[in-house]
Amino acid sequence: PTGSYFKMEEIIKLRKLYGLKKVDRANSVGNRKESSAEHSWSCLILADYFLNITDIKLDRLKVYELLMYHDVVEIEAGDTPMHKKEERKNQKERELKALNKLKHEIPKQLKTKFVNLVNEFEENKTKEAKFAQAIDKLDAEIHELDYKKDWKGWTEKQVREYYQEEIKDFPEIVDAFEKILKYFL
C-alpha cells in the first residue's frame, strides 16, 4: 500500500487511553492495588461467561464495548470506591468533566463512540447497559474472593444497598451475588 493509514499524533492520542492502567482501585492484587484496566479486563471475561448462560438476548459487542470504555473517565476523575461516601457525592460531576476533557484528547476516530458508550453506560437505560452495570458490580465482589481482608467492616446491608439495584434484572447474576455474599458472611 502506498498511503499512510495513521498519523503519529493519533497513536500518541490513543496512548491516552492506556492511562487506565495507572488508575488504582481500592481492591488488592497481591501486594499492590488493582488497576482500573485490570478491572475492565476481568469485567469482559465475566460478561463473556454470563452472556453464555443467560436467556436474555443482548448485543454481545455492545456489552463488550460498554465494559471496555465504562471506566475510561477514571483516567482523569480517578476511581471512587463504594466506601468513600463523601467522594461519591460529586462523582458524576467529576466524571462528566473528565469525559469532556478526554473526548478532546483521544483519537477523533474514537471520540463519538467513547462519548456515546460512556453516556449509555451512565444512563443505564438499555438492556446492554443494565447488563454491563451488573457485571461491573459483580466483578468487584468476585475479585474480593481472593482478598477477603479487604471486606473488613462491611455489613450485609451496606453491600446489598450498593449492589442490588444494578443486578436485580439478571437472575444468574443475582444467584452468583447471593452465593458470594454468603461466603463472605
Side-chain angles (χ1 to χ4, degrees):
T2 58
S4 178
Y5 294 102
F6 66 87
K7 295 179 179 161
M8 194 60 196
E9 301 86 51
E10 292 298 300
I11 296 300
I12 291 167
K13 285 183 174 185
L14 187 61
R15 290 187 65 241
K16 179 69 176 185
L17 298 171
Y18 285 38
L20 201 58
K21 295 191 245 182
K22 298 176 190 172
V23 178
D24 288 336
R25 293 170 48 86
N27 304 344
S28 298
V29 174
N31 59 357
R32 62 178 176 81
K33 293 300 179 185
E34 176 188 39
S35 76
S36 287
E38 289 171 309
H39 162 66
S40 293
W41 177 83
S42 60
C43 282
L44 290 166
I45 295 297
L46 191 59
D48 196 41
Y49 172 77
F50 278 99
L51 285 166
N52 286 308
I53 64 170
T54 187
D55 291 331
I56 300 169
K57 298 294 177 218
L58 296 162
D59 179 337
R60 186 177 285 266
L61 179 59
K62 176 60 71 120
V63 169
Y64 293 157
E65 288 178 327
L66 286 162
L67 290 169
M68 193 167 78
Y69 284 94
H70 83 283
D71 278 341
V72 168
V73 293
E74 291 181 3
I75 294 168
E76 293 295 328
D79 180 56
T80 309
M82 72 177 187
H83 66 281
K84 302 252 177 151
K85 289 186 179 185
E86 282 305 307
E87 287 180 33
R88 293 191 83 69
K89 288 179 183 176
N90 69 354
Q91 178 183 1
K92 297 286 184 206
E93 180 182 306
R94 284 184 294 115
E95 289 182 352
L96 181 59
K97 186 176 177 182
L99 176 66
N100 288 326
K101 182 178 188 296
L102 284 165
K103 72 182 180 184
H104 299 292
E105 297 177 347
I106 65 173
K108 63 184 175 196
Q109 297 87 342
L110 298 177
K111 178 181 174 177
T112 301
K113 178 184 203 173
F114 165 64
V115 170
N116 290 342
L117 288 167
V118 170
N119 286 334
E120 181 176 346
F121 184 85
E122 291 302 321
E123 290 168 3
N124 199 25
K125 292 180 182 171
T126 65
K127 61 185 178 180
E128 286 79 12
K130 290 177 186 295
F131 184 81
Q133 285 220 6
I135 291 295
D136 179 45
K137 295 292 189 192
L138 187 63
D139 175 67
E141 189 188 31
I142 287 175
H143 177 88
E144 296 303 331
L145 287 171
D146 292 327
Y147 301 96
K148 258 179 116 169
K149 65 181 176 7
D150 287 352
W151 275 61
K152 286 185 179 164
W154 291 105
T155 66
E156 179 178 354
K157 181 182 177 198
Q158 287 171 309
V159 174
R160 286 189 185 285
E161 284 175 2
Y162 186 73
Y163 288 94
Q164 280 189 312
E165 185 61 30
E166 280 82 3
I167 67 170
K168 69 181 181 188
D169 296 330
F170 305 98
E172 300 88 349
I173 294 175
V174 170
D175 185 49
F177 170 83
E178 291 297 335
K179 288 177 179 158
I180 294 166
L181 190 57
K182 284 181 186 170
Y183 172 80
F184 282 117
L185 300 176

